[in-house]
Amino acid sequence: LDCETSGVMVFARQALGASFLSQAWRERKKVSKIYLAKVHDWPPWNREKQELGRIDLALAPSEERLKWKVCADGKPSSTNWKVLDGSKKESPILLELQPVTGRTHQLRIHCSTIGSGIVGDSLFGLGQAEPQRPETEQRLYLHAYKLCFPHPESKELVEFVAEPDW
């Protein structure tokens, strides 16, 4: 997870488990991740009332240190998205994001390219503050909500969920 992203993450306690999980992630074997994010503007929803979709934008390292960018000859990068709550006119829109690929800052770049970026994203978004929160409590509204993967020993799928505190 990015430093600023909250939510569930997994750590292996043994080398064998770490190796198994690394391979599962690399090969995308039965691994799924779901994130929640808040955005102020999501044109597919705001303008077209589209409730779900897929973003396919290739990404490559930027000239700026630690940043990535959309680039036609970059690595393929895909994110499925769904609007969970866009009912309040002045409130941020709540999105469910499911990365199909796992590129650095993928969700943040995809949200920034399609809409206003994730609320509080000072790296790729517009850095919008959450209107109801004081400046000292600002944060990135990107949360790793659900993580599902095969258990290293039993090979059964396990699922972990962490509700956001917002």
Side-chain angles (χ1 to χ4, degrees):
L1 291 177
D2 289 341
C3 307
E4 299 176 64
T5 304
S6 61
V8 67
M9 45 192 306
V10 63
F11 293 93
R13 296 190 316 186
Q14 299 174 353
L16 221 54
S19 176
F20 175 85
L21 290 172
S22 291
Q23 183 177 353
W25 253 259
R26 264 193 318 276
E27 297 173 3
R28 300 277 175 220
K29 288 182 181 173
K30 299 180 184 176
V31 172
S32 69
K33 300 177 273 186
I34 295 177
Y35 291 78
L36 301 178
K38 286 186 179 183
V39 296
H40 283 294
D41 182 35
W42 195 250
W45 168 252
N46 294 114
R47 296 184 185 103
E48 301 163 24
K49 293 300 178 212
Q50 185 179 345
E51 294 181 13
L52 53 94
R54 183 180 181 115
I55 303 165
D56 288 304
L57 296 169
L59 301 179
S62 170
E63 298 74 32
E64 293 182 58
R65 188 175 173 270
L66 301 177
K67 286 186 86 172
W68 282 61
K69 64 182 178 180
V70 173
C71 184
D73 60 348
K75 293 182 178 183
S77 180
S78 299
T79 301
N80 294 322
W81 62 268
K82 180 164 86 173
V83 173
L84 295 179
D85 186 5
S87 60
K88 301 177 187 104
K89 194 169 182 115
E90 297 301 317
S91 293
I93 297 160
L94 179 62
L95 296 177
E96 176 183 290
L97 302 170
Q98 187 169 15
V100 178
T101 53
R103 309 289 177 224
T104 302
H105 299 300
Q106 174 179 319
L107 300 177
R108 295 169 76 171
I109 297 168
H110 280 177
C111 286
S112 177
T113 304
I114 298 302
S116 60
I118 298 171
V119 174
D121 188 350
S122 58
L123 193 57
F124 295 101
L126 300 178
Q128 306 100 328
E130 177 65 26
Q132 292 81 18
R133 292 188 181 247
E135 191 69 32
T136 55
E137 294 181 25
Q138 292 308 316
R139 56 163 309 161
L140 174 67
Y141 282 82
L142 178 60
H143 181 80
Y145 172 68
K146 187 186 292 186
L147 185 57
C148 186
F149 57 90
H151 189 277
E153 290 179 3
S154 70
K155 311 299 186 257
E156 290 183 35
L157 284 181
V158 292
E159 180 179 283
F160 297 92
V161 173
E163 296 290 337
D165 62 358
W166 34 269

